[in-house]
Amino acid sequence: MRAIEIVGIAETKFGKAEGSYRELAVQAAQAALEDAGAHPAQVEALFLGTFSPGTFIKQEHVAPLIATELGLDNVPSTRLENACASGSTAFVSGLMAIAAGAYDAVLIVGAEKMTATPIGETTSILAEAADWENESSVGLTFPGAYALMARAYMHKYGKDRAFLDAVAIKNHHNAMGNPYAQFHREITREDIAKSVMIADPLNLYDCSPVSDGAAAVLLVASDVADRFDKPGVRVLGFGQASDSLALYKRDNLTSLPAAQRAAERAYKMAGVGVDDIDFAEVHDCFTIAEVMATEDLGFFGKGEGSDAVLAGATGRDGKMPINPSGGLKAKGHPVGATGVSQIVESSFQLRGEAGERQIDGAEIGLTHNVGGSGATCVVTILGKAE
Amino acid sequence: MRAIEIVGIAETKFGKAEGSYRELAVQAAQAALEDAGAHPAQVEALFLGTFSPGTFIKQEHVAPLIATELGLDNVPSTRLENACASGSTAFVSGLMAIAAGAYDAVLIVGAEKMTATPIGETTSILAEAADWENESSVGLTFPGAYALMARAYMHKYGKDRAFLDAVAIKNHHNAMGNPYAQFHREITREDIAKSVMIADPLNLYDCSPVSDGAAAVLLVASDVADRFDKPGVRVLGFGQASDSLALYKRDNLTSLPAAQRAAERAYKMAGVGVDDIDFAEVHDCFTIAEVMATEDLGFFGKGEGSDAVLAGATGRDGKMPINPSGGLKAKGHPVGATGVSQIVESSFQLRGEAGERQIDGAEIGLTHNVGGSGATCVVTILGKAE
């Protein structure tokens, strides 16, 4: 495939934002162009990943809306949706279009505005990413689905919830070093024990928050990368896979086949193995999800991801740093922005610009973005800017 | 670009359907595979165009849902949305992915289930494809937007509404020969004059209906086309462009710049001119839209499309047959399905299988699919199966 690089990156601070959906998307996109030293006229197409603006803010058809606000002149603009993996799906679409030779430079934006919606409605809207007809409509919302996974994991491997605490504590700690994160607050096991139960065994600190935010990357063919200011982060490989939305159709609840398949494809395309990965941004929508991710990606054996986090192996100074950004748990999870944000965060690391959260000597990073409870997964493998 | 062909096509009968969203999508997809003599295991990715299932049926994340129902084994599946151009946007995404060399065979599906929603809500949902913050929220729904265009056109070129009548009468007549069409009923100028006013000057017969339906195509690289039963319809070119959602930002209301730009790109890529086109399926969401389309595509001069339809030039036996299928007006308009259906209908023509609606000697056909009031346009140019 044609060599492709990321030459511009930006994201907004996640959390409850003043700005509207379009303001957040435009802010991230303009900052990514500025980062690259690029002019809007150099952008040949826009790919916008977003989950459900139709329900959150009564606005569909958002791709040309944002393209126009950015002053992109009649360029093709396309909205992608794959639930919480919408952002990385947009990234993959941009890759395909450049690889096809249709464009040399495209802008990928992920955005969501969630906090303007009453919280009860938000849970219902998010549940539209699961199988509404068969599961959501009878009460299986996402905290419930991941609670089933957590219970299955704890039962299968004989674990108590200490490892879930460890994920939340680590990610809140990591977010302290991330100026874009929603939370800047260390938490303790006592805080977690005292917090409200959401869906047994998951309590408030096991769940990623409701967030507003946007992230953007300028993606270009390597053969034109010298037109831009920043050293390009190389796209070494990617993989995408799907699975049943409904949990009742799955063989087991302790791993996500779509994640395993997406990872296999990404490793194969990149020509690298698990041992080559220096850090990963994974989809910890709930604490249990991070542990399953580290096993699905091959970093740890089945049932061993829980021990690894307790042993500190996934800390910023550990053998395999996971979510140095703070992850969805503490950085925040504006659904459509998340996949793009993972790529932005990885690119900061691979440019050596991650500040306090910098992983020393980071040369290859992986992102893992999940839609729903595993019905979509996109994995990317990015390489150091040269 | 890599040569690409359409080897399988199918659509459901449009209208108020018994089936659910997933049943309609699966029905069209399976029929397209059957048409090609293909097995689900030959499908490497799914691209699903759909407008707003999150609001119509409380179900987002529909791509892996449909992939699973079809028995596609963990293949990448992606949902595309660009309002009423969602279907053709999915088609373009499939083209890009094959051209990139990522896949040899992909399934494109377009679907929408609209009739399960109360009609008042439907108008509001459709208005989310326009600029909600600046126009829809203050009452400018789509019939209103196109009524402004019709008034502007009639004023600019000194026309009365006879040409709008002619579009509706022709398309209802054409649909008589289309077994998949929602309406099988000839209409007269008297019927139109007696019908209810929707937004002056547009009355009921100027508007496409609310519909359920799905359409699907199996798209393959030409180098693997001999694995399938049917002669491939060749993709000669395509173009996509965008524009402002809000009408107040447009310079004029009598043509759509996105359509003109998309058409330029498609003609250039295909290496053909206006005179090479034997027929076109265009986006007549309202009667005025068909006339504007025939001018934007270059078939007629500015202000002359209205005379052309009155003179019979766009009839099935005319110089430039437009919407031999009956168009959105009479075939129906299940939003996400429409763009794919235009490609299915054109493929029937180019395979010589269009029955009563067959255009003699059809060798090159064009499709024109618009999102919103022109914020997205996708044009495809397809060539005869050899």
Side-chain angles (χ1 to χ4, degrees):
Chain A
M1 215 179 78
R2 193 175 182 198
I4 299 174
E5 299 176 19
I6 297 162
V7 294
I9 53 176
E11 59 190 329
T12 65
K13 183 180 186 314
F14 288 0
K16 186 170 170 56
E18 289 292 309
S20 68
Y21 178 95
R22 73 180 79 186
E23 286 166 345
L24 293 170
V26 166
Q27 183 187 334
Q30 287 179 334
L33 292 179
E34 194 176 329
D35 177 58
H39 188 272
Q42 293 177 285
V43 175
E44 296 166 72
L46 172 72
F47 296 88
L48 176 60
T50 195
F51 168 51
S52 197
T55 49
F56 283 128
I57 57 161
K58 283 194 78 63
Q59 182 66 66
E60 304 278 15
H61 208 188
V62 279
L65 182 76
I66 302 305
T68 302
E69 297 277 335
L70 286 169
L72 306 182
D73 179 32
N74 291 124
V75 303
S77 56
T78 299
R79 178 255 178 123
L80 287 299
E81 186 265 322
N82 262 342
C84 306
S86 297
S88 55
T89 298
F91 184 77
V92 168
S93 293
L95 289 173
M96 295 285 190
I98 293 177
Y103 316 115
D104 293 330
V106 306
L107 192 57
I108 316 296
V109 180
E112 211 79 50
K113 177 76 183 182
M114 301 172 74
T115 69
T117 307
I119 191 69
E121 281 179 44
T122 300
T123 300
S124 174
I125 291 168
L126 290 169
E128 296 188 11
D131 188 331
W132 186 272
E133 204 171 311
N134 294 305
E135 293 188 339
S136 313
S137 62
V138 290
L140 189 60
T141 58
F142 276 103
Y146 278 90
L148 290 174
M149 295 185 200
R151 274 278 168 238
Y153 186 98
M154 291 160 76
H155 175 74
K156 186 171 184 176
Y157 301 116
K159 305 290 180 189
D160 64 27
R161 61 157 292 128
F163 74 99
L164 300 176
D165 292 356
V167 171
I169 291 167
K170 169 183 72 70
N171 287 352
H172 271 262
H173 175 71
N174 284 352
M176 297 294 289
N178 185 351
Y180 304 104
Q182 182 161 356
F183 299 129
H184 289 128
R185 189 159 60 86
E186 301 271 5
I187 58 167
T188 64
R189 290 195 66 176
E190 291 65 41
D191 293 327
I192 296 171
K194 284 188 296 186
S195 76
V196 65
M197 179 61 69
I198 304 294
D200 189 20
L202 304 180
N203 67 34
L204 187 67
Y205 285 108
D206 290 297
C207 308
S208 56
V210 170
S211 318
D212 306 325
V217 306
L218 182 63
L219 194 63
V220 308
S222 294
D223 49 81
V224 305
D226 60 4
R227 293 180 199 164
F228 304 94
D229 293 351
K230 288 290 164 71
V233 170
R234 291 168 303 137
V235 180
L236 303 178
F238 64 94
Q240 181 183 349
S242 64
D243 197 0
S244 162
L245 267 67
L247 289 187
Y248 82 89
K249 292 189 178 173
R250 307 262 182 93
D251 288 337
N252 79 72
L253 293 179
T254 58
S255 68
L256 303 182
Q260 295 171 322
R261 296 287 289 274
E264 279 166 23
R265 291 168 185 164
Y267 285 130
K268 185 177 172 193
M269 181 174 173
V272 304
V274 171
D275 294 339
D276 298 310
I277 306 298
D278 296 314
F279 69 93
E281 289 287 331
V282 311
H283 197 91
D284 59 326
C285 48
F286 297 91
T287 48
I288 181 65
E290 175 171 308
V291 174
M292 288 168 58
T294 60
E295 299 177 8
D296 287 335
L297 294 166
F299 300 147
F300 306 106
K302 293 293 171 199
E304 294 171 6
S306 43
D307 301 326
V309 64
L310 280 168
T314 58
R316 211 182 280 162
D317 301 323
K319 166 182 163 248
M320 175 54 71
I322 301 292
N323 286 327
S325 70
L328 284 61
K329 176 69 205 80
K331 185 181 61 179
H333 182 26
V335 174
T338 287
V340 181
S341 170
Q342 291 178 323
I343 291 163
V344 168
E345 284 293 326
S346 298
S347 299
F348 278 131
Q349 291 285 354
L350 296 166
R351 291 188 350 190
E353 298 174 4
E356 277 185 57
R357 60 194 190 285
Q358 183 67 45
I359 306 298
D360 287 340
E363 298 204 344
I364 298 182
L366 180 149
T367 69
H368 158 279
N369 186 204
V370 171
S373 56
T376 296
C377 187
V378 178
V379 170
T380 77
I381 299 177
L382 306 178
K384 189 178 176 179
E386 284 170 340
Chain B
M1 215 179 78
R2 194 176 181 197
I4 300 176
E5 298 177 16
I6 297 162
V7 294
I9 52 175
E11 59 191 328
T12 65
K13 183 181 186 310
F14 287 1
K16 187 171 169 58
E18 289 293 311
S20 67
Y21 179 95
R22 71 181 81 186
E23 286 166 346
L24 293 170
V26 165
Q27 183 187 333
Q30 287 180 333
L33 292 179
E34 194 176 331
D35 177 58
H39 188 273
Q42 293 177 285
V43 175
E44 295 165 72
L46 172 72
F47 296 89
L48 176 60
T50 194
F51 168 52
S52 197
T55 48
F56 282 130
I57 58 162
K58 283 194 77 61
Q59 182 67 65
E60 303 279 14
H61 209 188
V62 280
L65 182 78
I66 301 305
T68 302
E69 297 277 335
L70 286 169
L72 305 182
D73 178 31
N74 292 121
V75 302
S77 56
T78 300
R79 179 256 177 121
L80 286 299
E81 186 264 322
N82 261 342
C84 306
S86 297
S88 55
T89 298
F91 184 76
V92 168
S93 293
L95 289 173
M96 295 287 189
I98 293 178
Y103 315 115
D104 292 330
V106 306
L107 193 57
I108 315 297
V109 179
E112 210 81 49
K113 176 77 184 181
M114 302 172 73
T115 69
T117 306
I119 191 70
E121 282 179 43
T122 300
T123 299
S124 174
I125 292 168
L126 289 169
E128 295 187 12
D131 188 332
W132 186 271
E133 206 172 309
N134 294 306
E135 293 189 339
S136 311
S137 62
V138 289
L140 190 60
T141 59
F142 277 103
Y146 278 91
L148 290 175
M149 295 185 202
R151 274 279 167 237
Y153 186 100
M154 291 159 75
H155 175 74
K156 185 171 186 175
Y157 300 115
K159 304 290 178 186
D160 64 29
R161 61 157 292 129
F163 73 101
L164 300 176
D165 292 356
V167 172
I169 292 167
K170 169 184 69 72
N171 287 353
H172 271 262
H173 175 71
N174 285 354
M176 298 293 288
N178 184 351
Y180 303 103
Q182 181 160 356
F183 298 129
H184 289 129
R185 189 160 60 86
E186 301 272 6
I187 59 167
T188 64
R189 291 194 66 174
E190 291 66 40
D191 294 326
I192 296 170
K194 282 187 299 185
S195 76
V196 65
M197 180 62 67
I198 304 294
D200 189 20
L202 305 180
N203 66 33
L204 187 67
Y205 285 107
D206 289 295
C207 307
S208 56
V210 170
S211 318
D212 306 325
V217 307
L218 182 64
L219 195 63
V220 307
S222 295
D223 47 84
V224 305
D226 60 5
R227 295 179 197 163
F228 304 94
D229 292 352
K230 288 289 166 67
V233 170
R234 292 169 302 137
V235 179
L236 303 179
F238 64 93
Q240 181 184 349
S242 65
D243 197 0
S244 162
L245 267 67
L247 289 187
Y248 82 87
K249 292 189 178 174
R250 306 261 183 92
D251 287 338
N252 80 71
L253 294 178
T254 58
S255 68
L256 303 182
Q260 295 170 322
R261 296 287 288 273
E264 278 166 22
R265 291 168 185 165
Y267 286 129
K268 185 178 172 193
M269 180 175 174
V272 304
V274 171
D275 294 340
D276 299 309
I277 307 297
D278 296 314
F279 68 93
E281 289 286 331
V282 310
H283 197 90
D284 59 324
C285 47
F286 297 91
T287 48
I288 182 65
E290 176 171 308
V291 174
M292 287 166 59
T294 60
E295 298 176 9
D296 287 334
L297 293 165
F299 300 147
F300 306 106
K302 293 294 172 197
E304 294 172 6
S306 43
D307 301 326
V309 63
L310 280 168
T314 58
R316 210 183 281 160
D317 302 322
K319 165 183 164 252
M320 175 53 70
I322 301 293
N323 286 327
S325 70
L328 284 60
K329 176 68 205 82
K331 186 180 62 177
H333 182 25
V335 175
T338 287
V340 181
S341 170
Q342 291 178 324
I343 291 163
V344 168
E345 284 292 326
S346 297
S347 299
F348 278 132
Q349 291 285 355
L350 296 167
R351 289 185 357 186
E353 298 174 2
E356 277 184 58
R357 62 195 188 287
Q358 183 66 47
I359 305 296
D360 288 340
E363 298 203 345
I364 297 182
L366 179 149
T367 69
H368 159 280
N369 186 202
V370 171
S373 56
T376 297
C377 186
V378 178
V379 170
T380 77
I381 299 177
L382 306 177
K384 188 178 177 179
E386 281 171 341

